[in-house]
Amino acid sequence: MAPRYKNENRKQMMSETRERLVKAAVEEFAREGYEGANISRITQAAGVATGTIYNYFPSKNEMILAILSEIGTAHCAFIAEQIRQENDFVVRVERLLEAVFGFVRENPHQGRILFAMLQGANVTFKEHLNQIYQPMFQLISDEILIPGMEQGIFQSLDPVSTTVMIMTFYLGIGSTVDENGETPLDLKEVAAFVLRALGAKLATSE
Amino acid sequence: MAPRYKNENRKQMMSETRERLVKAAVEEFAREGYEGANISRITQAAGVATGTIYNYFPSKNEMILAILSEIGTAHCAFIAEQIRQENDFVVRVERLLEAVFGFVRENPHQGRILFAMLQGANVTFKEHLNQIYQPMFQLISDEILIPGMEQGIFQSLDPVSTTVMIMTFYLGIGSTVDENGETPLDLKEVAAFVLRALGAKLATSE
Amino acid sequence: MAPRYKNENRKQMMSETRERLVKAAVEEFAREGYEGANISRITQAAGVATGTIYNYFPSKNEMILAILSEIGTAHCAFIAEQIRQENDFVVRVERLLEAVFGFVRENPHQGRILFAMLQGANVTFKEHLNQIYQPMFQLISDEILIPGMEQGIFQSLDPVSTTVMIMTFYLGIGSTVDENGETPLDLKEVAAFVLRALGAKLATSE
Amino acid sequence: MAPRYKNENRKQMMSETRERLVKAAVEEFAREGYEGANISRITQAAGVATGTIYNYFPSKNEMILAILSEIGTAHCAFIAEQIRQENDFVVRVERLLEAVFGFVRENPHQGRILFAMLQGANVTFKEHLNQIYQPMFQLISDEILIPGMEQGIFQSLDPVSTTVMIMTFYLGIGSTVDENGETPLDLKEVAAFVLRALGAKLATSE
DNA sequence: CATGAATGAGGTTTCATTCAT
DNA sequence: TATGAATGAAACCTCATTCAT
């Protein structure tokens, strides 16, 4: 029973039409914001009829929540995957930065939505995102900062507020990217900036 | 023809109406964002008729631009004033942080609008704000970082990108404030974080 | 008593402010039509405050009626004056044409209002104008066509319908003028056309 | 995917809605003029919701342009059809007149819109109509006046200005019709008037 | 599932008119 | 008389959502 339901669910989730809708919606939300986004434009860009979108999402509001979940989850997963490939905590900090940037550069629309909603007026969206980004918070805290401090690689600091600062900084920096995914900042400098702030014993010796 | 004092009277009344409108609009934009903001609600909150707002602003769009200008200018002026009261560059960094936070704490709605528009979808608003914040950029660069580096107080770094990083960080952190102007972060920690990142010789000796 | 009232009335009618308002209104109505005309633009063009216009005209509607009366009366008077300078009925036909054209060329805005309102949707305006143009109707009929026919200069035709046709033709032709008062038609040809239609024994021997 | 006959069904329903909208709009524009016309009244008269009209016309302005095109084209086609049934150029002149009148009598609302817009303040509408009436201009010139003059039936005159005069006269006369399509003029007299003006060798031998 | 015309509440903006000064 | 800010009804238009096909 359960698997059958799961399969059907997945089938729906992965439907090609749905994918086209999500893709079009992401671009629309990125360009226009939530209120400015237009369902008709989305369906038109996706090449389906207006009503079709309501077979996949019960409302515009639910749609953006679903999209935020998908993007945020993918973002977190990508970052986690990148970081866990490294064992050196200093390099993990750099990797974290590269991962945030890399994701945004590869998916500029998704990035824009994320940052816009994170700062936007709608509290529901913000809370939704905060929840989604919990794993990333845990990741930074538990798999970089705390062990790094314990090993004396980083200066001993309050792990919670330091994590918040790092996340804020990284997300803030991620928001400097333009619509093409480019940023005016030099990753190496940013990494060095953060590592100094963490009191890292050794910056990357590259 | 009309006596002068009458005119002054009227001028004052007009500016009062304008003030009420701006105040109401700031709250509305902060709560709802640009697209979600509602002219009728604004005029109602300001206690005037719907049409009255168009005696002061030619359109909703022009209104937010005017408001962004006013807020941004006030913000920059406040920060500049705070910073110039100090001569020590290390303390200036702390003051900068306190000023950003302080302004936002005192004017949470204004803060929300700023951060929302800075990250929002509308490119026009972003460019408008970037222009308005030029003085703050110059301030950080010319009156804190560059002289601080020249005097050996800060590590020698690229002043432009460092300024961008600091602004991004501060504004990003400013965006962690809630609707009451409170932030979960400890200012002292944030200041220390930044000063370490700047390679400051002496953190505040508190 | 009566003269005093008359004088005051005239004073009001001839007030310089009123003249400026009428001039501005004529241009506005000519450019925008009645519904499209804008009281604020009129007062601004006249260099007075918005409310001032209501010291001279009780409403927009009454204003255009007053303006239509003034223009129509002036037009009729001008035509009558021109025609009565001639005794030859054939030449009177030509003079009539020249007078219609001449007035419109000298007063293109007034002309446009006349023709627009004559054809426009508002029945009140049309009836108003028809009444005003009664004298011109009588003029053509009683002082050109009927005596001309009686003297055998024009073919014997029904004077009423012929008058209507001539007026229609002239007004129609008057409506070919552009905003500068120019028309693509050659007056001489038009006069010859009409005179042939009237079966005139002799067209102008020029 | 949907069966074809269903589509045809829907297409037919759409064109019915469109027809109802155009019919209602024609009456509204005829009664109120362009600026005075009210979208809500049109949709209400058409028995649809307010927004429905925007499924068929992108704006009020585009709507009247479309309607002007439809009316003008129909008018020209009707006139051309009527005229080409006759070979005698004198009779063609009479037929032209009858056709102009007949169309207006059968379609008084359409007629009113035509004449109102032809004389109204809006230059765009006028230019639009001038373009639409080009075929009628060519028709009068190439298929009545020029051959008639070549065959010596009409006096030799400048064909262009004569065409303009005839069009002006006919359209001007058409504008004497009231809301029921009636005119105070006698068609026979008008025809005789024009034929005399053209120097026709033989007026209709009735 | 797909379609897309229809819906109608709601949004921004306009503007003739008023009235306190 | 002159002023012009205030009024608020009404206009045009948008758009998320529905539903019959």
Side-chain angles (χ1 to χ4, degrees):
Chain A
M1 267 321 182
R4 186 156 144 265
Y5 171 80
K6 262 280 169 68
N7 279 343
E8 278 177 359
N9 197 21
R10 173 164 305 175
K11 215 189 271 175
Q12 151 114 14
M13 292 283 297
M14 296 308 168
S15 135
E16 213 177 290
T17 302
R18 201 193 118 103
E19 264 176 50
R20 285 213 312 279
L21 280 169
V22 168
K23 184 172 182 297
V26 163
E27 291 180 18
E28 177 80 6
F29 284 128
R31 199 179 350 102
E32 309 286 348
Y34 175 72
E35 302 274 1
N38 181 298
I39 296 286
S40 291
R41 272 199 301 260
I42 293 173
T43 53
Q44 205 169 344
V48 298
T50 322
T52 302
I53 205 169
Y54 290 91
N55 289 330
Y56 294 89
F57 305 96
S59 72
K60 188 187 180 185
N61 195 78
E62 292 292 325
M63 185 185 204
I64 187 121
L65 290 177
I67 285 180
L68 288 178
S69 295
E70 292 183 24
I71 298 176
T73 306
H75 195 188
C76 288
F78 178 75
I79 288 168
E81 188 217 337
Q82 292 291 311
I83 283 178
R84 286 175 182 145
Q85 288 176 6
E86 289 292 338
N87 292 321
D88 185 316
F89 296 118
V90 166
V91 184
R92 279 192 170 186
V93 169
E94 295 169 336
R95 275 295 174 102
L96 170 62
L97 180 61
E98 282 163 17
V100 170
F101 264 91
F103 183 85
V104 170
R105 194 183 306 116
E106 296 303 315
N107 311 279
H109 301 312
Q110 280 85 344
R112 286 247 51 77
I113 294 180
L114 248 27
F115 301 127
M117 298 301 164
L118 230 27
Q119 302 284 16
N122 192 304
V123 179
T124 312
F125 298 163
K126 264 189 272 197
E127 289 172 356
H128 192 73
L129 279 173
N130 279 333
Q131 214 168 331
I132 289 168
Y133 275 98
Q134 271 306 314
M136 182 168 156
F137 185 90
Q138 293 301 330
L139 185 78
I140 296 175
S141 171
D142 297 353
E143 303 187 32
I144 302 181
L145 294 185
I146 291 177
M149 291 177 192
E150 282 172 356
Q151 294 182 18
I153 295 171
F154 302 137
Q155 190 171 330
S156 228
L157 301 160
D158 176 54
V160 172
S161 63
T162 308
T163 304
V164 172
M165 282 190 282
I166 296 217
M167 276 193 70
T168 305
F169 191 39
Y170 278 10
L171 293 179
I173 284 186
S175 78
T176 62
V177 299
D178 58 24
E179 50 257 33
N180 305 317
E182 305 297 330
T183 173
L185 287 167
D186 180 339
L187 258 70
K188 292 222 190 326
E189 288 186 36
V190 177
F193 186 93
V194 171
L195 285 171
R196 281 195 304 274
L198 291 175
K201 286 279 139 50
L202 289 173
T204 38
S205 58
E206 189 197 1
Chain B
M1 279 302 182
R4 180 131 72 213
Y5 71 93
K6 287 273 170 72
N7 279 341
E8 279 174 359
N9 235 6
R10 176 165 300 185
K11 231 179 248 171
Q12 189 187 334
M13 281 182 52
M14 266 201 78
S15 67
E16 270 174 33
T17 302
R18 203 195 117 103
E19 265 174 48
R20 286 212 311 280
L21 279 168
V22 168
K23 184 170 181 294
V26 163
E27 289 179 20
E28 177 80 6
F29 284 129
R31 196 173 359 95
E32 308 286 349
Y34 176 70
E35 302 273 2
N38 182 296
I39 297 285
S40 295
R41 271 198 304 258
I42 293 174
T43 53
Q44 207 166 342
V48 297
T50 322
T52 302
I53 204 169
Y54 291 92
N55 289 337
Y56 295 87
F57 305 97
S59 70
K60 188 186 179 185
N61 195 78
E62 292 292 323
M63 184 185 206
I64 186 107
L65 289 177
I67 285 181
L68 288 179
S69 294
E70 291 183 25
I71 297 177
T73 306
H75 195 188
C76 288
F78 179 75
I79 288 168
E81 188 217 338
Q82 292 293 311
I83 283 178
R84 286 175 182 146
Q85 289 176 6
E86 290 294 337
N87 291 322
D88 185 316
F89 296 118
V90 166
V91 184
R92 280 193 168 184
V93 170
E94 296 169 336
R95 275 293 175 104
L96 171 62
L97 181 60
E98 282 163 18
V100 170
F101 264 91
F103 183 86
V104 170
R105 194 183 306 116
E106 296 303 315
N107 311 279
H109 301 311
Q110 280 84 344
R112 285 248 50 77
I113 294 181
L114 248 28
F115 302 127
M117 298 300 164
L118 231 27
Q119 303 283 18
N122 192 306
V123 179
T124 312
F125 297 164
K126 265 187 269 195
E127 289 172 355
H128 192 72
L129 279 174
N130 279 333
Q131 217 169 328
I132 289 168
Y133 274 99
Q134 271 305 313
M136 182 167 157
F137 185 89
Q138 293 299 330
L139 185 79
I140 296 176
S141 170
D142 297 352
E143 303 187 33
I144 302 181
L145 295 186
I146 291 178
M149 291 177 192
E150 282 171 356
Q151 294 182 17
I153 295 170
F154 302 137
Q155 189 171 330
S156 227
L157 300 161
D158 176 55
V160 173
S161 62
T162 309
T163 304
V164 172
M165 282 191 282
I166 296 220
M167 278 193 67
T168 304
F169 190 40
Y170 278 10
L171 294 178
I173 283 186
S175 77
T176 62
V177 300
D178 57 25
E179 49 255 36
N180 305 317
E182 304 298 331
T183 172
L185 287 167
D186 179 339
L187 258 69
K188 294 224 187 329
E189 288 187 36
V190 177
F193 185 94
V194 171
L195 285 170
R196 282 196 305 274
L198 291 173
K201 286 279 138 50
L202 288 173
T204 37
S205 60
E206 189 205 1
Chain C
M1 273 307 190
R4 184 157 145 267
Y5 171 78
K6 260 286 168 64
N7 280 342
E8 280 179 356
N9 197 19
R10 174 163 305 176
K11 215 190 275 174
Q12 151 117 13
M13 292 283 297
M14 297 306 166
S15 136
E16 215 176 289
T17 302
R18 199 192 121 104
E19 265 176 50
R20 285 213 311 280
L21 280 168
V22 168
K23 184 172 180 296
V26 163
E27 290 181 19
E28 177 79 7
F29 284 129
R31 198 175 357 99
E32 308 286 348
Y34 175 72
E35 301 275 1
N38 181 297
I39 296 286
S40 293
R41 272 199 301 261
I42 293 174
T43 53
Q44 204 170 342
V48 299
T50 323
T52 302
I53 205 169
Y54 290 91
N55 289 331
Y56 296 89
F57 306 96
S59 72
K60 188 186 180 186
N61 195 77
E62 292 293 325
M63 185 186 205
I64 187 123
L65 289 177
I67 285 180
L68 288 178
S69 295
E70 293 183 23
I71 297 176
T73 306
H75 194 189
C76 288
F78 178 76
I79 288 168
E81 188 217 339
Q82 292 291 311
I83 283 177
R84 285 175 183 144
Q85 288 176 6
E86 289 294 336
N87 292 321
D88 185 316
F89 296 119
V90 166
V91 184
R92 280 193 167 185
V93 169
E94 295 169 336
R95 276 292 175 103
L96 171 62
L97 181 60
E98 283 163 17
V100 170
F101 265 89
F103 182 85
V104 170
R105 195 182 305 116
E106 297 303 316
N107 311 279
H109 301 312
Q110 281 84 344
R112 285 246 52 77
I113 294 180
L114 249 28
F115 302 127
M117 298 300 165
L118 230 27
Q119 302 286 13
N122 192 304
V123 179
T124 312
F125 298 163
K126 263 188 272 196
E127 288 171 355
H128 191 73
L129 277 174
N130 279 334
Q131 214 169 329
I132 290 168
Y133 274 98
Q134 270 307 312
M136 182 167 158
F137 186 89
Q138 292 300 329
L139 185 78
I140 296 175
S141 170
D142 298 352
E143 303 187 34
I144 302 181
L145 294 185
I146 291 178
M149 291 176 192
E150 281 171 356
Q151 294 182 17
I153 294 170
F154 302 138
Q155 191 171 328
S156 227
L157 301 160
D158 175 55
V160 172
S161 62
T162 308
T163 303
V164 173
M165 282 191 281
I166 296 217
M167 278 194 67
T168 304
F169 190 39
Y170 278 10
L171 294 178
I173 284 185
S175 77
T176 62
V177 300
D178 57 26
E179 50 256 36
N180 304 317
E182 306 296 331
T183 172
L185 286 169
D186 180 339
L187 256 71
K188 294 223 187 329
E189 287 186 38
V190 177
F193 186 94
V194 171
L195 285 170
R196 282 195 306 273
L198 290 174
K201 285 281 139 46
L202 289 173
T204 38
S205 59
E206 190 201 358
Chain D
M1 280 300 182
R4 181 133 72 215
Y5 71 92
K6 285 273 169 73
N7 279 340
E8 279 174 1
N9 237 7
R10 175 166 299 187
K11 232 180 246 171
Q12 189 187 334
M13 280 182 54
M14 270 201 74
S15 68
E16 270 173 33
T17 302
R18 203 194 119 103
E19 266 175 48
R20 286 211 312 279
L21 280 167
V22 168
K23 185 170 179 296
V26 163
E27 289 179 19
E28 178 79 6
F29 284 128
R31 197 178 353 101
E32 307 286 349
Y34 175 72
E35 302 274 2
N38 181 297
I39 296 285
S40 294
R41 271 199 302 262
I42 293 174
T43 51
Q44 207 165 344
V48 297
T50 323
T52 302
I53 205 169
Y54 292 94
N55 288 337
Y56 295 88
F57 306 96
S59 71
K60 188 185 178 187
N61 195 77
E62 291 292 323
M63 185 184 204
I64 186 105
L65 289 178
I67 285 180
L68 288 178
S69 293
E70 290 183 25
I71 297 177
T73 305
H75 196 189
C76 288
F78 178 75
I79 288 168
E81 188 216 338
Q82 292 291 310
I83 284 177
R84 285 176 182 145
Q85 289 175 4
E86 289 293 337
N87 292 321
D88 186 317
F89 296 117
V90 166
V91 185
R92 280 193 167 184
V93 169
E94 296 170 335
R95 275 293 176 103
L96 171 62
L97 181 61
E98 282 163 17
V100 169
F101 263 92
F103 183 87
V104 170
R105 194 182 308 116
E106 296 303 316
N107 311 280
H109 300 312
Q110 281 84 343
R112 285 247 50 76
I113 294 180
L114 248 27
F115 301 127
M117 298 300 165
L118 232 27
Q119 303 283 18
N122 191 306
V123 179
T124 311
F125 297 164
K126 265 188 268 197
E127 288 172 355
H128 192 72
L129 278 174
N130 278 334
Q131 216 170 328
I132 290 168
Y133 274 98
Q134 271 306 314
M136 182 167 157
F137 185 90
Q138 292 301 330
L139 186 78
I140 296 176
S141 171
D142 298 352
E143 302 188 32
I144 302 182
L145 294 185
I146 291 177
M149 290 176 191
E150 282 171 356
Q151 295 182 16
I153 294 171
F154 302 137
Q155 190 171 329
S156 230
L157 301 160
D158 176 53
V160 172
S161 62
T162 308
T163 303
V164 172
M165 284 191 281
I166 296 218
M167 276 192 69
T168 305
F169 190 39
Y170 278 11
L171 293 179
I173 283 186
S175 76
T176 62
V177 299
D178 57 25
E179 49 256 34
N180 306 317
E182 305 297 331
T183 173
L185 287 167
D186 180 338
L187 258 69
K188 295 224 186 330
E189 287 185 38
V190 177
F193 185 94
V194 171
L195 285 170
R196 282 194 306 275
L198 290 174
K201 285 282 140 46
L202 290 173
T204 37
S205 59
E206 188 201 2

